[in-house]
Amino acid sequence: TLNWADMGTIGWLVDGAAIVNQVPLQRTSYGPYSRAMIRVCKEESFHQRQGYEILLHLMREKITLSSSGAGASGSVPFQSVSASRTYSF
């Protein structure tokens, strides 16, 4: 079963690797493909940033729970920092 840590890790690292592979394709000589890859890379950048924010939130929450003496076994609801932002592509 996937949890928020898995989702954040996948978003941050796997989508980051996809960006590394896809950025060179933006400079292809075939115009429609090149333009499409620009949009794809922007979308992947959003997923990478969202994954990073998920992990950052979870790490900060873990530090807060640890310092307050509460156990980490309780479920902490996640509210994405990026949910309050508007992204235009």
Side-chain angles (χ1 to χ4, degrees), residues 49-77:
R49 186 172 49 249
Q50 186 180 37
Y52 176 81
E53 289 176 353
I54 289 170
L55 290 176
L56 185 63
H57 174 79
L58 291 173
M59 287 185 279
R60 285 181 177 161
E61 191 64 34
K62 174 69 175 171
I63 291 169
T64 304
L65 289 173
S66 298
S67 63
S68 68
S73 61
S75 175
V76 178

PDB file of all heavy atoms in Angstrom, residues 49-77:
ATOM      1  N   ARG A  49       8.000  19.291  -7.994  1.00  0.00           N
ATOM      2  CA  ARG A  49       7.866  20.285  -6.928  1.00  0.00           C
ATOM      3  C   ARG A  49       6.834  19.827  -5.887  1.00  0.00           C
ATOM      4  O   ARG A  49       7.036  19.969  -4.684  1.00  0.00           O
ATOM      5  CB  ARG A  49       7.468  21.633  -7.536  1.00  0.00           C
ATOM      6  CG  ARG A  49       7.435  22.773  -6.564  1.00  0.00           C
ATOM      7  CD  ARG A  49       7.235  24.133  -7.246  1.00  0.00           C
ATOM      8  NE  ARG A  49       6.149  24.158  -8.198  1.00  0.00           N
ATOM      9  CZ  ARG A  49       6.310  24.273  -9.522  1.00  0.00           C
ATOM     10  NH1 ARG A  49       7.505  24.364 -10.047  1.00  0.00           N
ATOM     11  NH2 ARG A  49       5.257  24.313 -10.310  1.00  0.00           N
ATOM     12  N   GLN A  50       5.742  19.262  -6.353  1.00  0.00           N
ATOM     13  CA  GLN A  50       4.708  18.768  -5.447  1.00  0.00           C
ATOM     14  C   GLN A  50       5.245  17.624  -4.591  1.00  0.00           C
ATOM     15  O   GLN A  50       4.989  17.571  -3.389  1.00  0.00           O
ATOM     16  CB  GLN A  50       3.496  18.312  -6.251  1.00  0.00           C
ATOM     17  CG  GLN A  50       2.313  17.921  -5.408  1.00  0.00           C
ATOM     18  CD  GLN A  50       1.143  17.489  -6.265  1.00  0.00           C
ATOM     19  OE1 GLN A  50       1.328  16.842  -7.297  1.00  0.00           O
ATOM     20  NE2 GLN A  50      -0.058  17.841  -5.856  1.00  0.00           N
ATOM     21  N   GLY A  51       6.009  16.709  -5.191  1.00  0.00           N
ATOM     22  CA  GLY A  51       6.615  15.615  -4.430  1.00  0.00           C
ATOM     23  C   GLY A  51       7.569  16.118  -3.374  1.00  0.00           C
ATOM     24  O   GLY A  51       7.585  15.640  -2.233  1.00  0.00           O
ATOM     25  N   TYR A  52       8.374  17.118  -3.739  1.00  0.00           N
ATOM     26  CA  TYR A  52       9.304  17.710  -2.777  1.00  0.00           C
ATOM     27  C   TYR A  52       8.541  18.336  -1.610  1.00  0.00           C
ATOM     28  O   TYR A  52       8.910  18.169  -0.440  1.00  0.00           O
ATOM     29  CB  TYR A  52      10.175  18.754  -3.474  1.00  0.00           C
ATOM     30  CG  TYR A  52      11.094  19.486  -2.534  1.00  0.00           C
ATOM     31  CD1 TYR A  52      12.296  18.917  -2.131  1.00  0.00           C
ATOM     32  CD2 TYR A  52      10.755  20.745  -2.049  1.00  0.00           C
ATOM     33  CE1 TYR A  52      13.137  19.583  -1.263  1.00  0.00           C
ATOM     34  CE2 TYR A  52      11.587  21.417  -1.178  1.00  0.00           C
ATOM     35  CZ  TYR A  52      12.778  20.841  -0.788  1.00  0.00           C
ATOM     36  OH  TYR A  52      13.603  21.509   0.084  1.00  0.00           O
ATOM     37  N   GLU A  53       7.462  19.055  -1.916  1.00  0.00           N
ATOM     38  CA  GLU A  53       6.671  19.702  -0.868  1.00  0.00           C
ATOM     39  C   GLU A  53       5.994  18.680   0.040  1.00  0.00           C
ATOM     40  O   GLU A  53       5.865  18.900   1.237  1.00  0.00           O
ATOM     41  CB  GLU A  53       5.638  20.640  -1.485  1.00  0.00           C
ATOM     42  CG  GLU A  53       6.268  21.879  -2.079  1.00  0.00           C
ATOM     43  CD  GLU A  53       5.268  22.782  -2.778  1.00  0.00           C
ATOM     44  OE1 GLU A  53       4.089  22.393  -2.931  1.00  0.00           O
ATOM     45  OE2 GLU A  53       5.681  23.883  -3.190  1.00  0.00           O
ATOM     46  N   ILE A  54       5.565  17.559  -0.516  1.00  0.00           N
ATOM     47  CA  ILE A  54       4.971  16.494   0.302  1.00  0.00           C
ATOM     48  C   ILE A  54       6.000  15.975   1.296  1.00  0.00           C
ATOM     49  O   ILE A  54       5.730  15.868   2.500  1.00  0.00           O
ATOM     50  CB  ILE A  54       4.445  15.343  -0.578  1.00  0.00           C
ATOM     51  CG1 ILE A  54       3.203  15.775  -1.350  1.00  0.00           C
ATOM     52  CG2 ILE A  54       4.149  14.092   0.260  1.00  0.00           C
ATOM     53  CD1 ILE A  54       2.764  14.778  -2.415  1.00  0.00           C
ATOM     54  N   LEU A  55       7.201  15.668   0.815  1.00  0.00           N
ATOM     55  CA  LEU A  55       8.243  15.165   1.707  1.00  0.00           C
ATOM     56  C   LEU A  55       8.656  16.203   2.731  1.00  0.00           C
ATOM     57  O   LEU A  55       8.874  15.878   3.906  1.00  0.00           O
ATOM     58  CB  LEU A  55       9.457  14.697   0.903  1.00  0.00           C
ATOM     59  CG  LEU A  55       9.246  13.434   0.083  1.00  0.00           C
ATOM     60  CD1 LEU A  55      10.485  13.129  -0.750  1.00  0.00           C
ATOM     61  CD2 LEU A  55       8.917  12.258   0.977  1.00  0.00           C
ATOM     62  N   LEU A  56       8.769  17.451   2.318  1.00  0.00           N
ATOM     63  CA  LEU A  56       9.127  18.521   3.244  1.00  0.00           C
ATOM     64  C   LEU A  56       8.085  18.640   4.352  1.00  0.00           C
ATOM     65  O   LEU A  56       8.426  18.751   5.538  1.00  0.00           O
ATOM     66  CB  LEU A  56       9.264  19.842   2.482  1.00  0.00           C
ATOM     67  CG  LEU A  56       9.742  21.044   3.266  1.00  0.00           C
ATOM     68  CD1 LEU A  56      11.161  20.814   3.782  1.00  0.00           C
ATOM     69  CD2 LEU A  56       9.687  22.283   2.385  1.00  0.00           C
ATOM     70  N   HIS A  57       6.827  18.595   3.974  1.00  0.00           N
ATOM     71  CA  HIS A  57       5.741  18.674   4.951  1.00  0.00           C
ATOM     72  C   HIS A  57       5.804  17.497   5.931  1.00  0.00           C
ATOM     73  O   HIS A  57       5.677  17.675   7.137  1.00  0.00           O
ATOM     74  CB  HIS A  57       4.388  18.697   4.243  1.00  0.00           C
ATOM     75  CG  HIS A  57       3.222  18.632   5.179  1.00  0.00           C
ATOM     76  ND1 HIS A  57       2.780  19.730   5.870  1.00  0.00           N
ATOM     77  CD2 HIS A  57       2.434  17.589   5.554  1.00  0.00           C
ATOM     78  CE1 HIS A  57       1.747  19.365   6.629  1.00  0.00           C
ATOM     79  NE2 HIS A  57       1.519  18.079   6.442  1.00  0.00           N
ATOM     80  N   LEU A  58       6.004  16.298   5.399  1.00  0.00           N
ATOM     81  CA  LEU A  58       6.057  15.118   6.252  1.00  0.00           C
ATOM     82  C   LEU A  58       7.246  15.172   7.207  1.00  0.00           C
ATOM     83  O   LEU A  58       7.132  14.782   8.372  1.00  0.00           O
ATOM     84  CB  LEU A  58       6.110  13.850   5.412  1.00  0.00           C
ATOM     85  CG  LEU A  58       4.834  13.510   4.639  1.00  0.00           C
ATOM     86  CD1 LEU A  58       5.069  12.323   3.718  1.00  0.00           C
ATOM     87  CD2 LEU A  58       3.687  13.234   5.587  1.00  0.00           C
ATOM     88  N   MET A  59       8.389  15.650   6.730  1.00  0.00           N
ATOM     89  CA  MET A  59       9.564  15.753   7.601  1.00  0.00           C
ATOM     90  C   MET A  59       9.347  16.793   8.683  1.00  0.00           C
ATOM     91  O   MET A  59       9.688  16.571   9.847  1.00  0.00           O
ATOM     92  CB  MET A  59      10.804  16.079   6.784  1.00  0.00           C
ATOM     93  CG  MET A  59      11.299  14.909   5.974  1.00  0.00           C
ATOM     94  SD  MET A  59      12.825  15.235   5.122  1.00  0.00           S
ATOM     95  CE  MET A  59      12.218  16.135   3.699  1.00  0.00           C
ATOM     96  N   ARG A  60       8.760  17.919   8.334  1.00  0.00           N
ATOM     97  CA  ARG A  60       8.485  18.949   9.353  1.00  0.00           C
ATOM     98  C   ARG A  60       7.471  18.441  10.368  1.00  0.00           C
ATOM     99  O   ARG A  60       7.593  18.701  11.557  1.00  0.00           O
ATOM    100  CB  ARG A  60       7.971  20.217   8.690  1.00  0.00           C
ATOM    101  CG  ARG A  60       9.057  20.987   7.995  1.00  0.00           C
ATOM    102  CD  ARG A  60       8.511  22.245   7.371  1.00  0.00           C
ATOM    103  NE  ARG A  60       9.592  23.008   6.764  1.00  0.00           N
ATOM    104  CZ  ARG A  60       9.412  23.934   5.851  1.00  0.00           C
ATOM    105  NH1 ARG A  60       8.184  24.218   5.426  1.00  0.00           N
ATOM    106  NH2 ARG A  60      10.428  24.582   5.343  1.00  0.00           N
ATOM    107  N   GLU A  61       6.463  17.726   9.898  1.00  0.00           N
ATOM    108  CA  GLU A  61       5.452  17.177  10.798  1.00  0.00           C
ATOM    109  C   GLU A  61       6.077  16.133  11.723  1.00  0.00           C
ATOM    110  O   GLU A  61       5.754  16.069  12.896  1.00  0.00           O
ATOM    111  CB  GLU A  61       4.305  16.575  10.002  1.00  0.00           C
ATOM    112  CG  GLU A  61       3.097  16.233  10.840  1.00  0.00           C
ATOM    113  CD  GLU A  61       2.450  17.458  11.479  1.00  0.00           C
ATOM    114  OE1 GLU A  61       2.451  18.532  10.872  1.00  0.00           O
ATOM    115  OE2 GLU A  61       1.956  17.327  12.612  1.00  0.00           O
ATOM    116  N   LYS A  62       6.974  15.323  11.214  1.00  0.00           N
ATOM    117  CA  LYS A  62       7.651  14.311  12.023  1.00  0.00           C
ATOM    118  C   LYS A  62       8.475  14.979  13.109  1.00  0.00           C
ATOM    119  O   LYS A  62       8.460  14.543  14.266  1.00  0.00           O
ATOM    120  CB  LYS A  62       8.540  13.439  11.122  1.00  0.00           C
ATOM    121  CG  LYS A  62       9.390  12.446  11.846  1.00  0.00           C
ATOM    122  CD  LYS A  62       8.573  11.362  12.458  1.00  0.00           C
ATOM    123  CE  LYS A  62       9.520  10.320  13.064  1.00  0.00           C
ATOM    124  NZ  LYS A  62       8.822   9.349  13.853  1.00  0.00           N
ATOM    125  N   ILE A  63       9.170  16.062  12.782  1.00  0.00           N
ATOM    126  CA  ILE A  63       9.966  16.784  13.780  1.00  0.00           C
ATOM    127  C   ILE A  63       9.050  17.367  14.838  1.00  0.00           C
ATOM    128  O   ILE A  63       9.323  17.290  16.026  1.00  0.00           O
ATOM    129  CB  ILE A  63      10.812  17.882  13.103  1.00  0.00           C
ATOM    130  CG1 ILE A  63      11.900  17.234  12.251  1.00  0.00           C
ATOM    131  CG2 ILE A  63      11.414  18.820  14.130  1.00  0.00           C
ATOM    132  CD1 ILE A  63      12.631  18.195  11.346  1.00  0.00           C
ATOM    133  N   THR A  64       7.922  17.929  14.438  1.00  0.00           N
ATOM    134  CA  THR A  64       6.959  18.497  15.382  1.00  0.00           C
ATOM    135  C   THR A  64       6.393  17.419  16.294  1.00  0.00           C
ATOM    136  O   THR A  64       6.311  17.600  17.501  1.00  0.00           O
ATOM    137  CB  THR A  64       5.808  19.195  14.628  1.00  0.00           C
ATOM    138  OG1 THR A  64       6.358  20.178  13.765  1.00  0.00           O
ATOM    139  CG2 THR A  64       4.834  19.833  15.587  1.00  0.00           C
ATOM    140  N   LEU A  65       6.017  16.276  15.738  1.00  0.00           N
ATOM    141  CA  LEU A  65       5.480  15.187  16.547  1.00  0.00           C
ATOM    142  C   LEU A  65       6.540  14.648  17.494  1.00  0.00           C
ATOM    143  O   LEU A  65       6.248  14.347  18.647  1.00  0.00           O
ATOM    144  CB  LEU A  65       4.964  14.055  15.655  1.00  0.00           C
ATOM    145  CG  LEU A  65       3.689  14.336  14.873  1.00  0.00           C
ATOM    146  CD1 LEU A  65       3.393  13.186  13.917  1.00  0.00           C
ATOM    147  CD2 LEU A  65       2.517  14.566  15.803  1.00  0.00           C
ATOM    148  N   SER A  66       7.777  14.539  17.041  1.00  0.00           N
ATOM    149  CA  SER A  66       8.853  14.020  17.872  1.00  0.00           C
ATOM    150  C   SER A  66       9.161  14.965  19.024  1.00  0.00           C
ATOM    151  O   SER A  66       9.371  14.540  20.143  1.00  0.00           O
ATOM    152  CB  SER A  66      10.123  13.794  17.048  1.00  0.00           C
ATOM    153  OG  SER A  66       9.893  12.842  16.057  1.00  0.00           O
ATOM    154  N   SER A  67       9.187  16.261  18.748  1.00  0.00           N
ATOM    155  CA  SER A  67       9.530  17.222  19.793  1.00  0.00           C
ATOM    156  C   SER A  67       8.394  17.419  20.788  1.00  0.00           C
ATOM    157  O   SER A  67       8.624  17.802  21.925  1.00  0.00           O
ATOM    158  CB  SER A  67       9.919  18.563  19.174  1.00  0.00           C
ATOM    159  OG  SER A  67       8.831  19.116  18.485  1.00  0.00           O
ATOM    160  N   SER A  68       7.160  17.137  20.381  1.00  0.00           N
ATOM    161  CA  SER A  68       6.031  17.305  21.304  1.00  0.00           C
ATOM    162  C   SER A  68       5.797  16.070  22.161  1.00  0.00           C
ATOM    163  O   SER A  68       4.957  16.079  23.042  1.00  0.00           O
ATOM    164  CB  SER A  68       4.754  17.624  20.521  1.00  0.00           C
ATOM    165  OG  SER A  68       4.357  16.497  19.762  1.00  0.00           O
ATOM    166  N   GLY A  69       6.522  14.998  21.879  1.00  0.00           N
ATOM    167  CA  GLY A  69       6.359  13.776  22.653  1.00  0.00           C
ATOM    168  C   GLY A  69       5.265  12.878  22.132  1.00  0.00           C
ATOM    169  O   GLY A  69       5.041  11.803  22.645  1.00  0.00           O
ATOM    170  N   ALA A  70       4.558  13.307  21.097  1.00  0.00           N
ATOM    171  CA  ALA A  70       3.497  12.487  20.527  1.00  0.00           C
ATOM    172  C   ALA A  70       4.105  11.414  19.637  1.00  0.00           C
ATOM    173  O   ALA A  70       5.151  11.622  19.033  1.00  0.00           O
ATOM    174  CB  ALA A  70       2.542  13.355  19.710  1.00  0.00           C
ATOM    175  N   GLY A  71       3.441  10.323  19.543  1.00  0.00           N
ATOM    176  CA  GLY A  71       3.915   9.256  18.675  1.00  0.00           C
ATOM    177  C   GLY A  71       3.616   9.565  17.224  1.00  0.00           C
ATOM    178  O   GLY A  71       2.696  10.317  16.907  1.00  0.00           O
ATOM    179  N   ALA A  72       4.383   8.976  16.348  1.00  0.00           N
ATOM    180  CA  ALA A  72       4.185   9.216  14.919  1.00  0.00           C
ATOM    181  C   ALA A  72       3.199   8.242  14.311  1.00  0.00           C
ATOM    182  O   ALA A  72       3.027   8.207  13.113  1.00  0.00           O
ATOM    183  CB  ALA A  72       5.529   9.111  14.198  1.00  0.00           C
ATOM    184  N   SER A  73       2.553   7.455  15.145  1.00  0.00           N
ATOM    185  CA  SER A  73       1.639   6.453  14.608  1.00  0.00           C
ATOM    186  C   SER A  73       0.314   7.049  14.169  1.00  0.00           C
ATOM    187  O   SER A  73      -0.401   6.453  13.385  1.00  0.00           O
ATOM    188  CB  SER A  73       1.383   5.365  15.651  1.00  0.00           C
ATOM    189  OG  SER A  73       0.786   5.943  16.804  1.00  0.00           O
ATOM    190  N   GLY A  74      -0.018   8.249  14.679  1.00  0.00           N
ATOM    191  CA  GLY A  74      -1.277   8.875  14.299  1.00  0.00           C
ATOM    192  C   GLY A  74      -1.236   9.365  12.868  1.00  0.00           C
ATOM    193  O   GLY A  74      -0.192   9.681  12.333  1.00  0.00           O
ATOM    194  N   SER A  75      -2.383   9.419  12.253  1.00  0.00           N
ATOM    195  CA  SER A  75      -2.463   9.880  10.873  1.00  0.00           C
ATOM    196  C   SER A  75      -2.483  11.397  10.854  1.00  0.00           C
ATOM    197  O   SER A  75      -3.273  12.030  11.546  1.00  0.00           O
ATOM    198  CB  SER A  75      -3.738   9.333  10.232  1.00  0.00           C
ATOM    199  OG  SER A  75      -3.882   9.849   8.950  1.00  0.00           O
ATOM    200  N   VAL A  76      -1.593  11.977  10.074  1.00  0.00           N
ATOM    201  CA  VAL A  76      -1.523  13.424   9.948  1.00  0.00           C
ATOM    202  C   VAL A  76      -2.102  13.813   8.597  1.00  0.00           C
ATOM    203  O   VAL A  76      -1.605  13.369   7.572  1.00  0.00           O
ATOM    204  CB  VAL A  76      -0.052  13.912  10.049  1.00  0.00           C
ATOM    205  CG1 VAL A  76       0.015  15.414   9.866  1.00  0.00           C
ATOM    206  CG2 VAL A  76       0.552  13.478  11.357  1.00  0.00           C
ATOM    207  N   PRO A  77      -3.172  14.598   8.575  1.00  0.00           N
ATOM    208  CA  PRO A  77      -3.741  14.981   7.286  1.00  0.00           C
ATOM    209  C   PRO A  77      -2.762  15.860   6.526  1.00  0.00           C
ATOM    210  O   PRO A  77      -2.068  16.683   7.110  1.00  0.00           O
ATOM    211  CB  PRO A  77      -5.007  15.752   7.668  1.00  0.00           C
ATOM    212  CG  PRO A  77      -4.795  16.174   9.070  1.00  0.00           C
ATOM    213  CD  PRO A  77      -3.880  15.164   9.696  1.00  0.00           C
TER     214      PRO A  77
END
